[in-house]
Amino acid sequence: MPPTLANDASAFQSAQSPEMEVTIPSTGQEKGQPAICPTDNDTITPRPAAGSKKVDKRSLDYVLRSGLAGGMAGCAAKTIVGPLDRVKILFQASSPQFAKYTGSWFGVVTAMRDINRQDGVRGLFRGHSATLLRIFPYAAIKFLAYEQIRAVIIKDKSQETPWRRLISGSLAGITSVFFTYPLEVIRVRLAFETKRDSRSSLSSICKQIYRESPHIPQPSPSTTISSSSSSSLPTAVASTIASTTATLQQTVTPRSGLANFYRGFSPTLWGMLPYAGMSFLTHDTASDWLRHPSIAAHTTLPTPSSHHLQTPNNNHKPPPLTYWAELLAGGFAGLVSQTASYPLEVIRRRMQVGGAVGDGHRLGMKETTARIWREKGWRGFWVGLTIGYFKVVPMVATSFFVYERGKLWLGI
């Protein structure tokens, strides 16, 4: 053998050591190492030298995909409970035609039957087009905002506390409702109409809401004169003061405009704190219970390859729940959140339809609360709760189910 080749062979043999032995990995992914061969676990993953693939939740791709999944979830959920939503709005807003059905277990069925007899199936979905127009951006913003806010507030497993989950859900709900509330007012006004001769199109209802002005009572001269008779002011001066006061009221009180599309916004914000917060908190907590090792074999699906992808805040995603477990977690979340926020929802509905009943006076939150108490007492704040359960429980269950499955379909 030539000296050069001999020296190369000797150097190669001396460089080898036991640590350099090549071992063939098993089909399992020991110690979390991804498979190198495409046939390992039927999964194609990057080589270890390239590092584990990470998902950036703040990337535009993730935001768009999570928003699309949330929008689809919201539309599916609202379509399922569309007829119940129509009847519940009529009950909450104290529609004169349907007030007689409230407080009865069969009132919901009777009301739906009357609507179907009068307007057909389309009557049960009155305002549903506005519902879908509102719910897609609302649900999309809510779910993607929850993902983004959660990634900031809950940075690792040690910060996975109920309080942080509650705050994340509440902030996500407030964010979504701020951008989509005018569409909610339009939807409620369309659903509130019950008379055949008063049907309004989407454009006409928008113009009507925009042009509505609050009722400003004008003081009568006789009242003014009588109230000032005991004073030393002459009648002419009293009349001048009354007219000036009326002019000032008209100046400082908004007559019409975009403010009308935010009727009931204050109780909505207050109601969104417990509703969205408790919804996400209860769902995530119930999902953790259903993933407990003692029952995980019956409640979880095999972990898909996409769940092995790492994110900046968690090494691996939890395994997805079976369809019935996911629906159970979502339904329980809807039950808890509806109970926690229902009185504020009733106040919000009454404020939203304020321009469609009475003199069009724009009621404040305090005034609306006092009026409900005078009319029906404490029971007035729970009118329609039964139908609320029948509506919200399947709606929230469907929403979370479609969202979680949508993330799987979209690869996130």
Side-chain angles (χ1 to χ4, degrees), residues 249-272:
Q249 282 183 319
Q250 295 178 358
T251 302
V252 301
T253 304
R255 296 186 178 183
S256 61
L258 296 178
N260 291 338
F261 290 92
Y262 279 87
R263 284 177 169 172
F265 189 63
S266 297
T268 299
L269 288 181
W270 286 105
M272 190 55 63

Side-chain angles (χ1 to χ4, degrees), residues 44 126-127 140 171 187 212 257 262 279 292 329 347 352 356 362 377:
I44 300 177
R126 176 70 178 168
L171 292 178
R187 179 185 74 91
E212 286 173 354
Y262 279 87
S279 180
H292 193 273
I347 297 173
Q352 287 174 339
R362 183 183 298 138

Side-chain angles (χ1 to χ4, degrees), residues 82-128:
L84 290 174
D85 196 26
R86 171 81 197 282
V87 176
K88 192 189 76 163
I89 290 176
L90 294 174
F91 283 4
Q92 286 180 331
S94 298
S95 173
Q97 185 176 346
F98 292 89
K100 58 185 177 181
Y101 299 132
T102 59
S104 172
W105 285 94
F106 299 99
V108 176
V109 178
T110 306
M112 294 176 64
R113 184 185 61 189
D114 288 353
I115 295 174
N116 183 61
R117 182 186 300 114
Q118 179 180 353
D119 301 319
V121 177
R122 294 184 61 181
L124 296 173
F125 287 91
R126 176 70 178 168
H128 191 61

Side-chain angles (χ1 to χ4, degrees), residues 344-355:
L344 289 168
E345 185 179 352
V346 173
I347 297 173
R348 172 168 61 98
R349 297 296 191 201
R350 290 291 294 270
M351 294 178 67
Q352 287 174 339
V353 301

Side-chain angles (χ1 to χ4, degrees), residues 233-244:
L233 292 177
T235 304
V237 175
S239 301
T240 303
I241 294 176
S243 61
T244 304

Side-chain angles (χ1 to χ4, degrees), residues 243-388:
S243 61
T244 304
T245 303
T247 303
L248 182 61
Q249 282 183 319
Q250 295 178 358
T251 302
V252 301
T253 304
R255 296 186 178 183
S256 61
L258 296 178
N260 291 338
F261 290 92
Y262 279 87
R263 284 177 169 172
F265 189 63
S266 297
T268 299
L269 288 181
W270 286 105
M272 190 55 63
L273 290 173
Y275 181 79
M278 292 300 298
S279 180
F280 281 106
L281 168 62
T282 307
H283 173 264
D284 290 352
T285 303
S287 299
D288 291 343
W289 294 342
L290 292 171
R291 291 190 180 98
H292 193 273
S294 61
I295 60 174
H298 307 286
T299 59
T300 60
L301 298 173
T303 304
S305 58
S306 62
H307 277 221
H308 290 294
L309 301 179
Q310 295 183 356
T311 64
N313 299 327
N314 59 294
N315 293 330
H316 297 286
K317 298 179 182 179
L321 297 173
T322 59
Y323 75 92
W324 68 267
E326 188 64 64
L327 290 173
L328 179 63
F332 183 56
L335 181 70
V336 174
S337 60
Q338 178 75 352
T339 304
S341 63
Y342 195 78
L344 289 168
E345 185 179 352
V346 173
I347 297 173
R348 172 168 61 98
R349 297 296 191 201
R350 290 291 294 270
M351 294 178 67
Q352 287 174 339
V353 301
V357 295
D359 55 10
H361 177 53
R362 183 183 298 138
L363 300 176
M365 184 176 178
K366 184 178 179 180
E367 187 177 357
T368 304
T369 303
R371 177 171 294 188
I372 295 174
W373 180 266
R374 288 196 305 268
E375 292 177 356
K376 299 181 180 180
W378 66 269
R379 296 179 182 273
F381 296 97
W382 303 97
V383 170
L385 181 60
T386 302
I387 186 176

Side-chain angles (χ1 to χ4, degrees), residues 103-288:
S104 172
W105 285 94
F106 299 99
V108 176
V109 178
T110 306
M112 294 176 64
R113 184 185 61 189
D114 288 353
I115 295 174
N116 183 61
R117 182 186 300 114
Q118 179 180 353
D119 301 319
V121 177
R122 294 184 61 181
L124 296 173
F125 287 91
R126 176 70 178 168
H128 191 61
S129 58
T131 298
L132 296 182
L133 183 64
R134 179 195 73 93
I135 199 61
F136 187 89
Y138 168 81
I141 295 174
K142 182 180 71 173
F143 279 107
L144 74 85
Y146 179 70
E147 295 281 358
Q148 300 300 315
I149 296 172
R150 177 186 169 89
V152 174
I153 296 180
I154 305 176
K155 297 182 179 180
D156 52 52
K157 193 68 176 178
S158 63
Q159 297 181 344
E160 195 82 24
T161 61
W163 175 250
R164 291 178 181 269
R165 285 177 171 177
L166 179 67
I167 292 298
S168 300
S170 298
L171 292 178
I174 291 175
T175 302
S176 60
V177 78
F178 176 79
F179 289 102
T180 60
Y181 190 79
L183 294 173
E184 167 71 1
V185 175
I186 297 172
R187 179 185 74 91
V188 171
R189 291 291 293 272
L190 286 171
F192 185 72
E193 293 184 348
T194 57
K195 296 181 180 180
R196 183 181 297 271
D197 56 354
S198 63
R199 290 289 183 260
S200 302
S201 63
L202 185 61
S203 59
S204 62
I205 203 71
C206 290
K207 294 178 181 178
Q208 179 182 347
I209 296 174
Y210 185 85
R211 295 170 180 171
E212 286 173 354
S213 59
H215 174 70
I216 302 176
Q218 299 290 339
S220 60
S222 59
T223 304
T224 305
I225 295 173
S226 61
S227 61
S228 60
S229 58
S230 59
S231 63
S232 59
L233 292 177
T235 304
V237 175
S239 301
T240 303
I241 294 176
S243 61
T244 304
T245 303
T247 303
L248 182 61
Q249 282 183 319
Q250 295 178 358
T251 302
V252 301
T253 304
R255 296 186 178 183
S256 61
L258 296 178
N260 291 338
F261 290 92
Y262 279 87
R263 284 177 169 172
F265 189 63
S266 297
T268 299
L269 288 181
W270 286 105
M272 190 55 63
L273 290 173
Y275 181 79
M278 292 300 298
S279 180
F280 281 106
L281 168 62
T282 307
H283 173 264
D284 290 352
T285 303
S287 299
D288 291 343

